[in-house]
Amino acid sequence: MNFVDIIEKKKKNIELSTQEIYWVVNSFVNNSLKDYQMSAFNMAVWFNGMSTKEIASFTQAMIDSGITYDLSEVKGLIADKHSTGGIGDKTSLIFSPLVAKFGVKVAKLSGRGLGQTGGTIDKLESCPGWTGEISDHRFKEILNEIGISIMSQSSQVVPADKKLYALRDVTGTVDSIPLIASSIMSKKLVIPANSIILDVKMGSGAFMKDLDKAVELSKTMIGIGKEHNRNVSVMITNMDKPLGRAIGNAIEVKEAWDTLNGNGPSDLEELCVTAAGLTLVQNEVFKDLKTAKEELLKVLKDKSAAHLLKDFIEAQNGNFDVIIDYDKNFSTKHVIEVFAQKEGYVSFVSADQLGYLSMYLGAGRATKEEEIDFSAGIYLNKTTNEFVKKGEVIMTLYTNRDNVESFKQKAEELILIKDKKENEELILKLLTS
Ligand code: URA
């Protein structure tokens, strides 16, 4: 095959055959297609999009570039979940016990955080000893014993996406719906889950800035799921504000634990109960979302799913007692309180900026090589739309780094006090296959 012919076709919006798409992906992975050629291909896709058939072939070619998992030894139904990335997003840690409590197993591959967004693997590693580097055999064993297991996504999973994403990132082609949809779904489809719930974030801190685009992305991913006989549901949720009050690592695991014990922030609880509810409806545990949510709220109230978070973390060698005794184990050299300069309703410049502040405090990495400080982070004593009086604490910063005045100033710059509340809808739309 000739790359120039393929790019000419894509440029003129002529549908590529499955063979041509496989050839592009395989040639890129084995380095016979150069970065500049693949960049031209990505840009042509950015302008002309892809047909449903092209997206299906592209996703399958990406999956076939790496390993897939056989979970036939795992008894019962399996669910998976993915979020397109949010600030303070510890949903998986609450969703998984809630779903497992009703007998549906949660098998997930997760990644680390980079930049302003945290990663589930980093959060879990704040429990000393916890590891996501487990064998396939152990993954299946834990799924059968506890009902939840989370593995670090290895470099053998969809290697084509890793290489492609790095290129898209530096060539202005990240925000293409077919490329995002195939990137996300290829990584989901390597796990043979019966159901997949996707949390597509929308707003200032997200890839999708408006609802129409978020719906288009969601429908594209549901379509890919259908091609692979997977039941995919999508929640489009607001990412103009952080989720819950805790941003960091150990502080987020603690908030997840509190939520499972009935003491979580209402937005986080609502999101987790909706995600778990949709999953339980997808797996026919409940007939409708309303019933599922009522039952899940009972479980939060009677705390009966909380132990599953502890059990799963311990099964993967983590010491969970440090979270139960949080204050003793995660103290920091500096505790910086940031006060309201006037009274009104709290708002933040953007959720993303709070993510960056948390990173500067030590909770995230600016480069892949940086080490994380599990104790660092932010607690929002007041969050979006809450009323604050002048002089009250809006947020508390935890850090072992010494630039106290600079952190305080940065935090003050992120706070906006408004005369009236903002639109605070959290779940903007639900879509099911
Ligand atoms: N997340 C992914 O995994 N891939 C994308 O392309 C965008 C977000």
Side-chain angles (χ1 to χ4, degrees), residues 82-84 161 165 168 174 176 179-181 183-184 187 207:
H82 179 75
S83 153
T84 59
D161 178 64
Y165 193 88
R168 284 167 58 206
V174 167
S176 150
L179 296 182
I180 297 176
S183 162
I184 293 176
K187 287 173 287 187
F207 282 114

Side-chain angles (χ1 to χ4, degrees), residues 69-81 95 99 103-108 143 147 185 188-198 222 225-226 228-233 278-285 433:
Y69 291 86
D70 173 4
L71 297 184
S72 52
E73 289 160 43
V74 176
K75 298 179 208 87
L77 296 166
I78 298 173
D80 195 0
K81 171 200 161 284
F95 164 89
V99 168
V104 177
K105 305 204 153 97
V106 179
K108 256 185 77 58
L143 283 169
M185 289 305 288
K188 288 290 98 185
L189 292 167
V190 298
I191 292 273
N194 300 87
S195 69
I196 301 170
I197 172 91
L198 302 170
I222 289 174
K226 269 196 189 133
H228 288 82
N229 289 324
R230 300 298 177 82
N231 189 333
V232 179
S233 289
L278 285 166
T279 297
L280 294 175
V281 172
Q282 284 176 305
N283 289 286
E284 297 179 4
V285 176
S433 30

Side-chain angles (χ1 to χ4, degrees), residues 147-186:
I148 305 168
S149 189
I150 300 182
M151 255 211 271
S152 301
Q153 188 173 302
S154 93
S155 55
Q156 290 154 290
V157 169
V158 200
D161 178 64
K162 196 161 188 221
K163 198 160 178 241
L164 193 62
Y165 193 88
L167 186 62
R168 284 167 58 206
D169 206 19
V170 293
T171 53
T173 46
V174 167
D175 58 341
S176 150
I177 286 184
L179 296 182
I180 297 176
S182 51
S183 162
I184 293 176
M185 289 305 288
S186 60

Side-chain angles (χ1 to χ4, degrees), residues 334-352:
H334 304 288
V335 176
I336 310 163
E337 292 186 316
V338 184
F339 301 97
Q341 308 288 337
K342 60 174 189 172
E343 74 167 34
Y345 294 95
V346 173
S347 173
F348 301 105
V349 168
S350 77
D352 248 14

Side-chain angles (χ1 to χ4, degrees), residues 7-281:
I7 197 76
E8 280 298 330
K9 268 177 98 176
K10 194 67 238 170
K11 218 169 72 179
K12 293 179 186 145
N13 214 1
I14 301 168
E15 190 176 69
L16 297 178
S17 68
T18 298
Q19 289 84 339
E20 285 168 325
I21 288 191
Y22 262 83
W23 183 84
V24 169
V25 173
N26 291 340
S27 308
F28 179 58
V29 172
N30 71 25
N31 298 322
S32 52
L33 207 62
K34 303 292 172 222
D35 279 2
Y36 55 81
Q37 294 174 302
M38 198 62 197
S39 308
F41 179 85
N42 289 339
M43 195 54 91
V45 171
W46 194 95
F47 277 104
N48 285 333
M50 274 181 166
S51 69
T52 308
K53 186 166 160 257
E54 284 177 316
I55 294 174
S57 310
F58 195 72
T59 308
Q60 192 59 53
M62 299 246 280
I63 296 171
D64 291 347
S65 71
I67 57 166
T68 55
Y69 291 86
D70 173 4
L71 297 184
S72 52
E73 289 160 43
V74 176
K75 298 179 208 87
L77 296 166
I78 298 173
D80 195 0
K81 171 200 161 284
H82 179 75
S83 153
T84 59
I87 309 301
D89 189 351
K90 68 286 289 174
T91 315
S92 294
L93 305 183
I94 303 154
F95 164 89
S96 307
L98 284 177
V99 168
K101 166 79 189 163
F102 288 94
V104 177
K105 305 204 153 97
V106 179
K108 256 185 77 58
L109 300 179
S110 285
R112 294 184 183 281
L114 186 61
Q116 79 280 26
T117 48
T120 303
I121 296 294
D122 298 316
K123 291 172 197 180
L124 287 164
E125 279 179 355
S126 57
C127 299
W130 187 88
T131 178
E133 311 280 328
I134 50 175
S135 66
D136 293 10
H137 175 72
R138 186 69 189 130
F139 186 52
K140 292 179 227 178
E141 223 171 46
I142 298 171
L143 283 169
N144 278 328
E145 280 165 17
I146 317 277
I148 305 168
S149 189
I150 300 182
M151 255 211 271
S152 301
Q153 188 173 302
S154 93
S155 55
Q156 290 154 290
V157 169
V158 200
D161 178 64
K162 196 161 188 221
K163 198 160 178 241
L164 193 62
Y165 193 88
L167 186 62
R168 284 167 58 206
D169 206 19
V170 293
T171 53
T173 46
V174 167
D175 58 341
S176 150
I177 286 184
L179 296 182
I180 297 176
S182 51
S183 162
I184 293 176
M185 289 305 288
S186 60
K187 287 173 287 187
K188 288 290 98 185
L189 292 167
V190 298
I191 292 273
N194 300 87
S195 69
I196 301 170
I197 172 91
L198 302 170
D199 180 1
V200 172
K201 303 287 185 194
M202 200 205 91
S204 61
F207 282 114
M208 295 293 120
K209 309 283 181 214
D210 66 68
L211 191 58
D212 287 348
K213 287 274 174 231
V215 168
E216 194 185 331
L217 174 66
S218 306
K219 287 186 173 165
T220 308
M221 293 194 290
I222 289 174
I224 298 173
K226 269 196 189 133
E227 292 280 336
H228 288 82
N229 289 324
R230 300 298 177 82
N231 189 333
V232 179
S233 289
V234 184
M235 311 185 291
I236 300 177
T237 63
N238 185 342
M239 221 329 113
D240 281 332
K241 71 183 280 290
L243 193 56
R245 294 182 185 276
I247 305 170
N249 294 283
I251 197 170
E252 289 199 32
V253 182
K254 169 78 165 78
E255 189 169 69
W257 177 243
D258 289 343
T259 305
L260 286 164
N261 282 290
N263 289 319
S266 55
D267 60 338
L268 180 62
E269 184 178 287
E270 169 65 7
L271 194 103
C272 295
V273 163
T274 305
L278 285 166
T279 297
L280 294 175
V281 172

